[in-house]
Amino acid sequence: MGLGRGQSPLLMALLLLLACLQMGMSLERISYVPQLSSATLAGRLTQSTFTLEQPRGPFSHPSISDSDAIWLVVAHSNATQKFTAPQKVEDTPVPADFPQRGYYLTLRASRALYPGGPPSNQLRVLRVGNDTRCSPRTRGCNRPLPGPGPYRVKFLVMSDRGPMAETEWSSETRLQQAEVLQAAPGPQTAGIVVIIAILSVLLAVLLAALLALLIFTWYDTCGSTPISGPGELVFVRKYDTHHMSRPSAVGGS
């Protein structure tokens, strides 16, 4: 059953209105890709944090005001396709939602903190995962990252009316992992065993020499020092008693 002539212009108007609404709901794309900080920076990558270069002026669009919030979106690399910008600040995902959603928002700022112009002498970086004191259920909490990743990030601009603009996703970032010490196979293992055996023999010889030295010192000391025996003690006591009792005997005679 075909459409009447009067219904065709009405249908076209409805389709055009839907297209305009869809265009109005789409976010403005900012041609900026978040980058890791310089490789010479200490602590650029750790087991729970990574450091980004601070943006310089990418949010100076006329549609963005100083009161708009600029969030950093942290996501697992495989969760970027399912990211949905929250429509209200109250719906902002927190680090506690990370295991289920695969992303959360942190490091809220304004464009005044990301000024343009040439770089200054001050080091301006953003360290992701640097706050160990905030609760993972707190909005904007910058908790340490739970694993090695990989992670990807982007910036999201939100006003009181909802999301407005977003940057490109960064490349994948993998954190450092704790290294497990393992014995090297092959000739290196045999060499280590030989070194340990030689050190053990030298340690045993050193202990034996020290013990012999202690015994010799003790024997030499005991052999050269006169020690009074029981007979000398008895002799001294008899001499003192005889000396003290002699005048009494003379007086009595």
Side-chain angles (χ1 to χ4, degrees):
M1 184 175 179
L3 295 175
R5 291 183 178 180
Q7 294 178 345
S8 180
L10 179 61
L11 181 60
M12 293 297 296
L14 289 175
L15 292 176
L16 182 61
L17 179 61
L18 289 176
C20 292
L21 290 176
Q22 185 175 5
M23 291 179 61
M25 294 176 62
S26 62
L27 298 180
E28 181 182 354
R29 185 60 57 90
I30 300 174
S31 59
Y32 174 78
V33 180
Q35 301 288 334
L36 285 175
S37 60
S38 173
T40 59
L41 179 66
R44 175 174 177 257
L45 293 174
T46 68
Q47 295 182 15
S48 59
T49 66
F50 62 90
T51 305
L52 298 172
E53 289 184 356
Q54 182 170 315
R56 297 190 183 96
F59 307 109
S60 58
H61 289 241
S63 59
I64 301 175
S65 66
D66 293 338
S67 60
D68 294 335
I70 301 176
W71 295 90
L72 181 70
V73 183
V74 181
H76 286 297
S77 182
N78 56 2
T80 56
Q81 297 297 328
K82 63 178 183 179
F83 170 74
T84 302
Q87 298 303 310
K88 297 182 297 182
V89 178
E90 293 77 10
D91 300 333
T92 301
V94 296
D97 302 324
F98 198 29
Q100 292 76 24
R101 295 192 181 187
Y103 57 86
Y104 67 96
L105 273 62
T106 185
L107 293 177
R108 176 176 177 172
S110 63
R111 70 175 183 178
L113 298 177
Y114 302 139
S120 62
N121 295 329
Q122 293 181 345
L123 181 63
R124 298 181 179 273
V125 294
L126 301 176
R127 190 177 293 275
V128 182
N130 196 38
D131 191 351
T132 60
R133 297 173 296 178
C134 64
S135 170
R137 298 190 177 277
T138 302
R139 190 179 301 118
C141 176
N142 189 24
R143 291 282 295 180
L145 296 169
Y151 301 100
R152 299 178 70 183
V153 298
K154 71 175 179 179
F155 289 95
L156 175 68
V157 182
M158 292 187 64
S159 67
D160 296 336
R161 299 182 301 275
M164 299 179 56
E166 62 182 357
T167 66
E168 305 289 343
W169 285 103
S170 69
S171 58
E172 291 185 349
T173 298
R174 296 180 182 271
L175 303 183
Q176 293 182 353
Q177 301 185 39
E179 297 182 357
V180 179
L181 297 179
Q182 298 180 352
Q188 295 182 358
T189 303
I192 293 175
V193 172
V194 172
I195 292 174
I196 294 175
I198 294 174
L199 292 177
S200 301
V201 173
L202 292 176
L203 181 60
V205 172
L206 180 61
L207 291 176
L210 181 60
L211 181 61
L213 179 62
L214 291 176
I215 294 174
F216 176 77
T217 304
W218 177 81
Y219 178 78
D220 184 66
T221 303
C222 293
S224 60
T225 303
I227 303 177
S228 299
E232 295 179 349
L233 293 176
V234 172
F235 175 77
V236 171
R237 289 178 182 176
K238 286 183 178 180
Y239 177 81
D240 291 341
T241 304
H242 176 73
H243 178 74
M244 295 296 293
S245 60
R246 187 174 180 180
S248 301
V250 175
S253 62

PDB file of all heavy atoms in Angstrom, residues 126-161:
ATOM      1  N   LEU A 126      50.487  15.122  33.581  1.00  0.00           N
ATOM      2  CA  LEU A 126      49.345  14.527  34.265  1.00  0.00           C
ATOM      3  C   LEU A 126      49.714  13.081  34.597  1.00  0.00           C
ATOM      4  O   LEU A 126      49.982  12.291  33.699  1.00  0.00           O
ATOM      5  CB  LEU A 126      48.099  14.561  33.372  1.00  0.00           C
ATOM      6  CG  LEU A 126      47.620  15.935  32.905  1.00  0.00           C
ATOM      7  CD1 LEU A 126      46.442  15.774  31.948  1.00  0.00           C
ATOM      8  CD2 LEU A 126      47.233  16.806  34.079  1.00  0.00           C
ATOM      9  N   ARG A 127      49.730  12.773  35.889  1.00  0.00           N
ATOM     10  CA  ARG A 127      50.080  11.419  36.316  1.00  0.00           C
ATOM     11  C   ARG A 127      48.789  10.658  36.620  1.00  0.00           C
ATOM     12  O   ARG A 127      48.074  10.969  37.572  1.00  0.00           O
ATOM     13  CB  ARG A 127      50.986  11.433  37.537  1.00  0.00           C
ATOM     14  CG  ARG A 127      51.580  10.054  37.865  1.00  0.00           C
ATOM     15  CD  ARG A 127      52.524  10.139  39.035  1.00  0.00           C
ATOM     16  NE  ARG A 127      53.703  10.905  38.731  1.00  0.00           N
ATOM     17  CZ  ARG A 127      54.791  10.405  38.135  1.00  0.00           C
ATOM     18  NH1 ARG A 127      54.811   9.141  37.758  1.00  0.00           N
ATOM     19  NH2 ARG A 127      55.838  11.168  37.915  1.00  0.00           N
ATOM     20  N   VAL A 128      48.513   9.662  35.822  1.00  0.00           N
ATOM     21  CA  VAL A 128      47.295   8.864  35.964  1.00  0.00           C
ATOM     22  C   VAL A 128      47.541   7.769  37.001  1.00  0.00           C
ATOM     23  O   VAL A 128      48.527   7.033  36.919  1.00  0.00           O
ATOM     24  CB  VAL A 128      46.885   8.255  34.616  1.00  0.00           C
ATOM     25  CG1 VAL A 128      45.594   7.457  34.752  1.00  0.00           C
ATOM     26  CG2 VAL A 128      46.739   9.343  33.567  1.00  0.00           C
ATOM     27  N   GLY A 129      46.631   7.658  37.989  1.00  0.00           N
ATOM     28  CA  GLY A 129      46.739   6.624  39.015  1.00  0.00           C
ATOM     29  C   GLY A 129      47.610   7.018  40.183  1.00  0.00           C
ATOM     30  O   GLY A 129      48.188   6.140  40.837  1.00  0.00           O
ATOM     31  N   ASN A 130      47.676   8.308  40.500  1.00  0.00           N
ATOM     32  CA  ASN A 130      48.649   8.793  41.471  1.00  0.00           C
ATOM     33  C   ASN A 130      48.068   9.041  42.860  1.00  0.00           C
ATOM     34  O   ASN A 130      48.791   9.454  43.758  1.00  0.00           O
ATOM     35  CB  ASN A 130      49.278  10.100  40.968  1.00  0.00           C
ATOM     36  CG  ASN A 130      50.543  10.462  41.693  1.00  0.00           C
ATOM     37  OD1 ASN A 130      51.344   9.595  42.018  1.00  0.00           O
ATOM     38  ND2 ASN A 130      50.732  11.742  41.971  1.00  0.00           N
ATOM     39  N   ASP A 131      46.773   8.782  43.071  1.00  0.00           N
ATOM     40  CA  ASP A 131      46.139   9.090  44.361  1.00  0.00           C
ATOM     41  C   ASP A 131      45.749   7.787  45.046  1.00  0.00           C
ATOM     42  O   ASP A 131      44.834   7.084  44.613  1.00  0.00           O
ATOM     43  CB  ASP A 131      44.903   9.966  44.146  1.00  0.00           C
ATOM     44  CG  ASP A 131      44.369  10.540  45.446  1.00  0.00           C
ATOM     45  OD1 ASP A 131      44.855  10.130  46.519  1.00  0.00           O
ATOM     46  OD2 ASP A 131      43.461  11.389  45.383  1.00  0.00           O
ATOM     47  N   THR A 132      46.448   7.471  46.144  1.00  0.00           N
ATOM     48  CA  THR A 132      46.160   6.236  46.892  1.00  0.00           C
ATOM     49  C   THR A 132      45.182   6.458  48.034  1.00  0.00           C
ATOM     50  O   THR A 132      44.809   5.488  48.702  1.00  0.00           O
ATOM     51  CB  THR A 132      47.460   5.654  47.456  1.00  0.00           C
ATOM     52  OG1 THR A 132      48.066   6.620  48.333  1.00  0.00           O
ATOM     53  CG2 THR A 132      48.431   5.314  46.343  1.00  0.00           C
ATOM     54  N   ARG A 133      44.771   7.698  48.287  1.00  0.00           N
ATOM     55  CA  ARG A 133      43.941   7.995  49.453  1.00  0.00           C
ATOM     56  C   ARG A 133      42.455   8.119  49.138  1.00  0.00           C
ATOM     57  O   ARG A 133      41.627   7.989  50.034  1.00  0.00           O
ATOM     58  CB  ARG A 133      44.419   9.284  50.122  1.00  0.00           C
ATOM     59  CG  ARG A 133      45.839   9.208  50.680  1.00  0.00           C
ATOM     60  CD  ARG A 133      46.322  10.567  51.170  1.00  0.00           C
ATOM     61  NE  ARG A 133      46.409  11.524  50.075  1.00  0.00           N
ATOM     62  CZ  ARG A 133      46.761  12.796  50.213  1.00  0.00           C
ATOM     63  NH1 ARG A 133      47.044  13.266  51.427  1.00  0.00           N
ATOM     64  NH2 ARG A 133      46.836  13.596  49.174  1.00  0.00           N
ATOM     65  N   CYS A 134      42.085   8.392  47.889  1.00  0.00           N
ATOM     66  CA  CYS A 134      40.678   8.605  47.571  1.00  0.00           C
ATOM     67  C   CYS A 134      39.942   7.274  47.470  1.00  0.00           C
ATOM     68  O   CYS A 134      40.533   6.228  47.199  1.00  0.00           O
ATOM     69  CB  CYS A 134      40.525   9.394  46.272  1.00  0.00           C
ATOM     70  SG  CYS A 134      41.158   8.546  44.810  1.00  0.00           S
ATOM     71  N   SER A 135      38.650   7.341  47.693  1.00  0.00           N
ATOM     72  CA  SER A 135      37.818   6.141  47.603  1.00  0.00           C
ATOM     73  C   SER A 135      37.512   5.833  46.137  1.00  0.00           C
ATOM     74  O   SER A 135      37.236   6.737  45.350  1.00  0.00           O
ATOM     75  CB  SER A 135      36.509   6.355  48.368  1.00  0.00           C
ATOM     76  OG  SER A 135      35.596   5.301  48.117  1.00  0.00           O
ATOM     77  N   PRO A 136      37.528   4.565  45.743  1.00  0.00           N
ATOM     78  CA  PRO A 136      37.214   4.242  44.334  1.00  0.00           C
ATOM     79  C   PRO A 136      35.781   4.559  43.944  1.00  0.00           C
ATOM     80  O   PRO A 136      35.459   4.539  42.754  1.00  0.00           O
ATOM     81  CB  PRO A 136      37.495   2.737  44.259  1.00  0.00           C
ATOM     82  CG  PRO A 136      37.428   2.250  45.660  1.00  0.00           C
ATOM     83  CD  PRO A 136      37.889   3.378  46.523  1.00  0.00           C
ATOM     84  N   ARG A 137      34.938   4.853  44.911  1.00  0.00           N
ATOM     85  CA  ARG A 137      33.563   5.233  44.608  1.00  0.00           C
ATOM     86  C   ARG A 137      33.368   6.751  44.549  1.00  0.00           C
ATOM     87  O   ARG A 137      32.249   7.216  44.341  1.00  0.00           O
ATOM     88  CB  ARG A 137      32.611   4.622  45.646  1.00  0.00           C
ATOM     89  CG  ARG A 137      32.623   3.105  45.639  1.00  0.00           C
ATOM     90  CD  ARG A 137      31.514   2.524  46.478  1.00  0.00           C
ATOM     91  NE  ARG A 137      31.496   1.080  46.408  1.00  0.00           N
ATOM     92  CZ  ARG A 137      30.931   0.371  45.435  1.00  0.00           C
ATOM     93  NH1 ARG A 137      30.323   1.003  44.453  1.00  0.00           N
ATOM     94  NH2 ARG A 137      30.976  -0.940  45.447  1.00  0.00           N
ATOM     95  N   THR A 138      34.454   7.488  44.738  1.00  0.00           N
ATOM     96  CA  THR A 138      34.379   8.944  44.661  1.00  0.00           C
ATOM     97  C   THR A 138      34.517   9.399  43.214  1.00  0.00           C
ATOM     98  O   THR A 138      35.407   8.937  42.490  1.00  0.00           O
ATOM     99  CB  THR A 138      35.484   9.583  45.518  1.00  0.00           C
ATOM    100  OG1 THR A 138      35.347   9.128  46.866  1.00  0.00           O
ATOM    101  CG2 THR A 138      35.388  11.088  45.477  1.00  0.00           C
ATOM    102  N   ARG A 139      33.657  10.315  42.794  1.00  0.00           N
ATOM    103  CA  ARG A 139      33.691  10.827  41.429  1.00  0.00           C
ATOM    104  C   ARG A 139      34.997  11.586  41.188  1.00  0.00           C
ATOM    105  O   ARG A 139      35.368  12.464  41.949  1.00  0.00           O
ATOM    106  CB  ARG A 139      32.491  11.729  41.172  1.00  0.00           C
ATOM    107  CG  ARG A 139      32.304  12.123  39.713  1.00  0.00           C
ATOM    108  CD  ARG A 139      31.080  13.006  39.531  1.00  0.00           C
ATOM    109  NE  ARG A 139      29.865  12.343  39.985  1.00  0.00           N
ATOM    110  CZ  ARG A 139      29.103  12.784  40.971  1.00  0.00           C
ATOM    111  NH1 ARG A 139      29.423  13.899  41.609  1.00  0.00           N
ATOM    112  NH2 ARG A 139      28.014  12.133  41.325  1.00  0.00           N
ATOM    113  N   GLY A 140      35.717  11.218  40.133  1.00  0.00           N
ATOM    114  CA  GLY A 140      36.974  11.874  39.799  1.00  0.00           C
ATOM    115  C   GLY A 140      38.184  11.295  40.494  1.00  0.00           C
ATOM    116  O   GLY A 140      39.292  11.832  40.346  1.00  0.00           O
ATOM    117  N   CYS A 141      38.015  10.229  41.263  1.00  0.00           N
ATOM    118  CA  CYS A 141      39.138   9.636  41.994  1.00  0.00           C
ATOM    119  C   CYS A 141      40.198   9.134  41.014  1.00  0.00           C
ATOM    120  O   CYS A 141      39.887   8.517  39.998  1.00  0.00           O
ATOM    121  CB  CYS A 141      38.632   8.489  42.870  1.00  0.00           C
ATOM    122  SG  CYS A 141      39.938   7.593  43.745  1.00  0.00           S
ATOM    123  N   ASN A 142      41.449   9.408  41.356  1.00  0.00           N
ATOM    124  CA  ASN A 142      42.581   9.040  40.490  1.00  0.00           C
ATOM    125  C   ASN A 142      43.339   7.862  41.119  1.00  0.00           C
ATOM    126  O   ASN A 142      44.513   7.958  41.436  1.00  0.00           O
ATOM    127  CB  ASN A 142      43.509  10.247  40.300  1.00  0.00           C
ATOM    128  CG  ASN A 142      44.569  10.005  39.257  1.00  0.00           C
ATOM    129  OD1 ASN A 142      44.417   9.179  38.361  1.00  0.00           O
ATOM    130  ND2 ASN A 142      45.674  10.717  39.360  1.00  0.00           N
ATOM    131  N   ARG A 143      42.645   6.755  41.298  1.00  0.00           N
ATOM    132  CA  ARG A 143      43.198   5.589  41.964  1.00  0.00           C
ATOM    133  C   ARG A 143      44.294   4.932  41.122  1.00  0.00           C
ATOM    134  O   ARG A 143      44.305   5.048  39.892  1.00  0.00           O
ATOM    135  CB  ARG A 143      42.105   4.550  42.218  1.00  0.00           C
ATOM    136  CG  ARG A 143      41.087   4.957  43.246  1.00  0.00           C
ATOM    137  CD  ARG A 143      41.608   4.788  44.646  1.00  0.00           C
ATOM    138  NE  ARG A 143      41.851   3.393  44.981  1.00  0.00           N
ATOM    139  CZ  ARG A 143      42.302   2.976  46.142  1.00  0.00           C
ATOM    140  NH1 ARG A 143      42.599   3.861  47.072  1.00  0.00           N
ATOM    141  NH2 ARG A 143      42.475   1.697  46.395  1.00  0.00           N
ATOM    142  N   PRO A 144      45.244   4.221  41.787  1.00  0.00           N
ATOM    143  CA  PRO A 144      46.249   3.452  41.027  1.00  0.00           C
ATOM    144  C   PRO A 144      45.585   2.434  40.116  1.00  0.00           C
ATOM    145  O   PRO A 144      44.556   1.837  40.457  1.00  0.00           O
ATOM    146  CB  PRO A 144      47.081   2.782  42.128  1.00  0.00           C
ATOM    147  CG  PRO A 144      46.922   3.670  43.315  1.00  0.00           C
ATOM    148  CD  PRO A 144      45.524   4.217  43.234  1.00  0.00           C
ATOM    149  N   LEU A 145      46.169   2.234  38.968  1.00  0.00           N
ATOM    150  CA  LEU A 145      45.601   1.329  37.978  1.00  0.00           C
ATOM    151  C   LEU A 145      45.765  -0.118  38.450  1.00  0.00           C
ATOM    152  O   LEU A 145      46.768  -0.478  39.067  1.00  0.00           O
ATOM    153  CB  LEU A 145      46.287   1.542  36.636  1.00  0.00           C
ATOM    154  CG  LEU A 145      46.063   2.944  36.052  1.00  0.00           C
ATOM    155  CD1 LEU A 145      46.964   3.194  34.862  1.00  0.00           C
ATOM    156  CD2 LEU A 145      44.608   3.126  35.656  1.00  0.00           C
ATOM    157  N   PRO A 146      44.783  -0.974  38.161  1.00  0.00           N
ATOM    158  CA  PRO A 146      44.769  -2.316  38.754  1.00  0.00           C
ATOM    159  C   PRO A 146      45.656  -3.341  38.077  1.00  0.00           C
ATOM    160  O   PRO A 146      45.849  -4.427  38.619  1.00  0.00           O
ATOM    161  CB  PRO A 146      43.295  -2.714  38.631  1.00  0.00           C
ATOM    162  CG  PRO A 146      42.813  -1.996  37.411  1.00  0.00           C
ATOM    163  CD  PRO A 146      43.550  -0.684  37.397  1.00  0.00           C
ATOM    164  N   GLY A 147      46.182  -3.069  36.909  1.00  0.00           N
ATOM    165  CA  GLY A 147      46.974  -4.075  36.218  1.00  0.00           C
ATOM    166  C   GLY A 147      47.860  -3.463  35.150  1.00  0.00           C
ATOM    167  O   GLY A 147      47.902  -2.241  34.980  1.00  0.00           O
ATOM    168  N   PRO A 148      48.568  -4.308  34.401  1.00  0.00           N
ATOM    169  CA  PRO A 148      49.515  -3.785  33.411  1.00  0.00           C
ATOM    170  C   PRO A 148      48.869  -3.199  32.161  1.00  0.00           C
ATOM    171  O   PRO A 148      49.535  -2.513  31.397  1.00  0.00           O
ATOM    172  CB  PRO A 148      50.354  -5.013  33.058  1.00  0.00           C
ATOM    173  CG  PRO A 148      49.455  -6.179  33.325  1.00  0.00           C
ATOM    174  CD  PRO A 148      48.617  -5.775  34.505  1.00  0.00           C
ATOM    175  N   GLY A 149      47.577  -3.426  31.957  1.00  0.00           N
ATOM    176  CA  GLY A 149      46.922  -2.870  30.779  1.00  0.00           C
ATOM    177  C   GLY A 149      46.803  -3.876  29.652  1.00  0.00           C
ATOM    178  O   GLY A 149      46.745  -5.078  29.890  1.00  0.00           O
ATOM    179  N   PRO A 150      46.743  -3.384  28.416  1.00  0.00           N
ATOM    180  CA  PRO A 150      46.994  -2.011  27.952  1.00  0.00           C
ATOM    181  C   PRO A 150      45.810  -1.075  28.190  1.00  0.00           C
ATOM    182  O   PRO A 150      44.674  -1.506  28.259  1.00  0.00           O
ATOM    183  CB  PRO A 150      47.252  -2.191  26.465  1.00  0.00           C
ATOM    184  CG  PRO A 150      46.463  -3.410  26.088  1.00  0.00           C
ATOM    185  CD  PRO A 150      46.517  -4.311  27.278  1.00  0.00           C
ATOM    186  N   TYR A 151      46.131   0.233  28.284  1.00  0.00           N
ATOM    187  CA  TYR A 151      45.139   1.273  28.498  1.00  0.00           C
ATOM    188  C   TYR A 151      45.186   2.288  27.360  1.00  0.00           C
ATOM    189  O   TYR A 151      46.216   2.462  26.706  1.00  0.00           O
ATOM    190  CB  TYR A 151      45.395   2.013  29.829  1.00  0.00           C
ATOM    191  CG  TYR A 151      45.380   1.129  31.045  1.00  0.00           C
ATOM    192  CD1 TYR A 151      46.566   0.690  31.631  1.00  0.00           C
ATOM    193  CD2 TYR A 151      44.180   0.729  31.629  1.00  0.00           C
ATOM    194  CE1 TYR A 151      46.562  -0.118  32.751  1.00  0.00           C
ATOM    195  CE2 TYR A 151      44.166  -0.081  32.752  1.00  0.00           C
ATOM    196  CZ  TYR A 151      45.360  -0.503  33.309  1.00  0.00           C
ATOM    197  OH  TYR A 151      45.344  -1.307  34.421  1.00  0.00           O
ATOM    198  N   ARG A 152      44.037   2.956  27.173  1.00  0.00           N
ATOM    199  CA  ARG A 152      43.960   4.090  26.254  1.00  0.00           C
ATOM    200  C   ARG A 152      43.166   5.198  26.946  1.00  0.00           C
ATOM    201  O   ARG A 152      42.277   4.924  27.767  1.00  0.00           O
ATOM    202  CB  ARG A 152      43.290   3.688  24.938  1.00  0.00           C
ATOM    203  CG  ARG A 152      44.040   2.601  24.169  1.00  0.00           C
ATOM    204  CD  ARG A 152      43.316   2.202  22.907  1.00  0.00           C
ATOM    205  NE  ARG A 152      43.369   3.258  21.908  1.00  0.00           N
ATOM    206  CZ  ARG A 152      42.758   3.174  20.712  1.00  0.00           C
ATOM    207  NH1 ARG A 152      42.047   2.099  20.397  1.00  0.00           N
ATOM    208  NH2 ARG A 152      42.862   4.158  19.854  1.00  0.00           N
ATOM    209  N   VAL A 153      43.480   6.429  26.615  1.00  0.00           N
ATOM    210  CA  VAL A 153      42.830   7.570  27.263  1.00  0.00           C
ATOM    211  C   VAL A 153      42.403   8.590  26.216  1.00  0.00           C
ATOM    212  O   VAL A 153      42.927   8.609  25.096  1.00  0.00           O
ATOM    213  CB  VAL A 153      43.766   8.249  28.296  1.00  0.00           C
ATOM    214  CG1 VAL A 153      44.126   7.292  29.410  1.00  0.00           C
ATOM    215  CG2 VAL A 153      45.022   8.783  27.624  1.00  0.00           C
ATOM    216  N   LYS A 154      41.462   9.439  26.616  1.00  0.00           N
ATOM    217  CA  LYS A 154      41.064  10.595  25.814  1.00  0.00           C
ATOM    218  C   LYS A 154      40.427  11.617  26.756  1.00  0.00           C
ATOM    219  O   LYS A 154      40.088  11.306  27.909  1.00  0.00           O
ATOM    220  CB  LYS A 154      40.092  10.213  24.697  1.00  0.00           C
ATOM    221  CG  LYS A 154      38.694   9.847  25.164  1.00  0.00           C
ATOM    222  CD  LYS A 154      37.788   9.598  23.964  1.00  0.00           C
ATOM    223  CE  LYS A 154      36.378   9.200  24.388  1.00  0.00           C
ATOM    224  NZ  LYS A 154      35.492   8.974  23.205  1.00  0.00           N
ATOM    225  N   PHE A 155      40.255  12.846  26.273  1.00  0.00           N
ATOM    226  CA  PHE A 155      39.637  13.911  27.053  1.00  0.00           C
ATOM    227  C   PHE A 155      38.193  14.093  26.599  1.00  0.00           C
ATOM    228  O   PHE A 155      37.886  14.028  25.402  1.00  0.00           O
ATOM    229  CB  PHE A 155      40.412  15.219  26.890  1.00  0.00           C
ATOM    230  CG  PHE A 155      41.757  15.209  27.562  1.00  0.00           C
ATOM    231  CD1 PHE A 155      42.893  14.879  26.833  1.00  0.00           C
ATOM    232  CD2 PHE A 155      41.887  15.517  28.905  1.00  0.00           C
ATOM    233  CE1 PHE A 155      44.137  14.860  27.443  1.00  0.00           C
ATOM    234  CE2 PHE A 155      43.130  15.506  29.525  1.00  0.00           C
ATOM    235  CZ  PHE A 155      44.258  15.174  28.785  1.00  0.00           C
ATOM    236  N   LEU A 156      37.324  14.344  27.594  1.00  0.00           N
ATOM    237  CA  LEU A 156      35.897  14.547  27.344  1.00  0.00           C
ATOM    238  C   LEU A 156      35.472  15.853  27.990  1.00  0.00           C
ATOM    239  O   LEU A 156      35.717  16.076  29.176  1.00  0.00           O
ATOM    240  CB  LEU A 156      35.082  13.381  27.919  1.00  0.00           C
ATOM    241  CG  LEU A 156      33.562  13.508  27.840  1.00  0.00           C
ATOM    242  CD1 LEU A 156      33.092  13.437  26.384  1.00  0.00           C
ATOM    243  CD2 LEU A 156      32.890  12.422  28.676  1.00  0.00           C
ATOM    244  N   VAL A 157      34.831  16.730  27.190  1.00  0.00           N
ATOM    245  CA  VAL A 157      34.343  18.024  27.675  1.00  0.00           C
ATOM    246  C   VAL A 157      32.857  17.907  27.957  1.00  0.00           C
ATOM    247  O   VAL A 157      32.079  17.454  27.107  1.00  0.00           O
ATOM    248  CB  VAL A 157      34.604  19.141  26.648  1.00  0.00           C
ATOM    249  CG1 VAL A 157      34.142  20.487  27.190  1.00  0.00           C
ATOM    250  CG2 VAL A 157      36.085  19.187  26.277  1.00  0.00           C
ATOM    251  N   MET A 158      32.465  18.297  29.182  1.00  0.00           N
ATOM    252  CA  MET A 158      31.061  18.229  29.581  1.00  0.00           C
ATOM    253  C   MET A 158      30.627  19.562  30.169  1.00  0.00           C
ATOM    254  O   MET A 158      31.368  20.202  30.911  1.00  0.00           O
ATOM    255  CB  MET A 158      30.853  17.116  30.621  1.00  0.00           C
ATOM    256  CG  MET A 158      31.044  15.715  30.078  1.00  0.00           C
ATOM    257  SD  MET A 158      30.585  14.461  31.313  1.00  0.00           S
ATOM    258  CE  MET A 158      28.826  14.810  31.507  1.00  0.00           C
ATOM    259  N   SER A 159      29.414  19.952  29.826  1.00  0.00           N
ATOM    260  CA  SER A 159      28.788  21.130  30.418  1.00  0.00           C
ATOM    261  C   SER A 159      27.639  20.671  31.308  1.00  0.00           C
ATOM    262  O   SER A 159      27.424  19.472  31.500  1.00  0.00           O
ATOM    263  CB  SER A 159      28.283  22.071  29.325  1.00  0.00           C
ATOM    264  OG  SER A 159      27.210  21.451  28.623  1.00  0.00           O
ATOM    265  N   ASP A 160      26.899  21.627  31.837  1.00  0.00           N
ATOM    266  CA  ASP A 160      25.743  21.261  32.653  1.00  0.00           C
ATOM    267  C   ASP A 160      24.674  20.553  31.839  1.00  0.00           C
ATOM    268  O   ASP A 160      23.835  19.830  32.399  1.00  0.00           O
ATOM    269  CB  ASP A 160      25.152  22.514  33.305  1.00  0.00           C
ATOM    270  CG  ASP A 160      26.128  23.169  34.273  1.00  0.00           C
ATOM    271  OD1 ASP A 160      27.024  22.447  34.771  1.00  0.00           O
ATOM    272  OD2 ASP A 160      25.995  24.387  34.514  1.00  0.00           O
ATOM    273  N   ARG A 161      24.692  20.745  30.524  1.00  0.00           N
ATOM    274  CA  ARG A 161      23.681  20.129  29.660  1.00  0.00           C
ATOM    275  C   ARG A 161      24.088  18.732  29.197  1.00  0.00           C
ATOM    276  O   ARG A 161      23.258  18.029  28.618  1.00  0.00           O
ATOM    277  CB  ARG A 161      23.437  21.024  28.440  1.00  0.00           C
ATOM    278  CG  ARG A 161      22.917  22.415  28.788  1.00  0.00           C
ATOM    279  CD  ARG A 161      22.650  23.230  27.544  1.00  0.00           C
ATOM    280  NE  ARG A 161      23.851  23.386  26.737  1.00  0.00           N
ATOM    281  CZ  ARG A 161      24.763  24.337  26.927  1.00  0.00           C
ATOM    282  NH1 ARG A 161      24.618  25.208  27.924  1.00  0.00           N
ATOM    283  NH2 ARG A 161      25.820  24.427  26.159  1.00  0.00           N
TER     284      ARG A 161
END
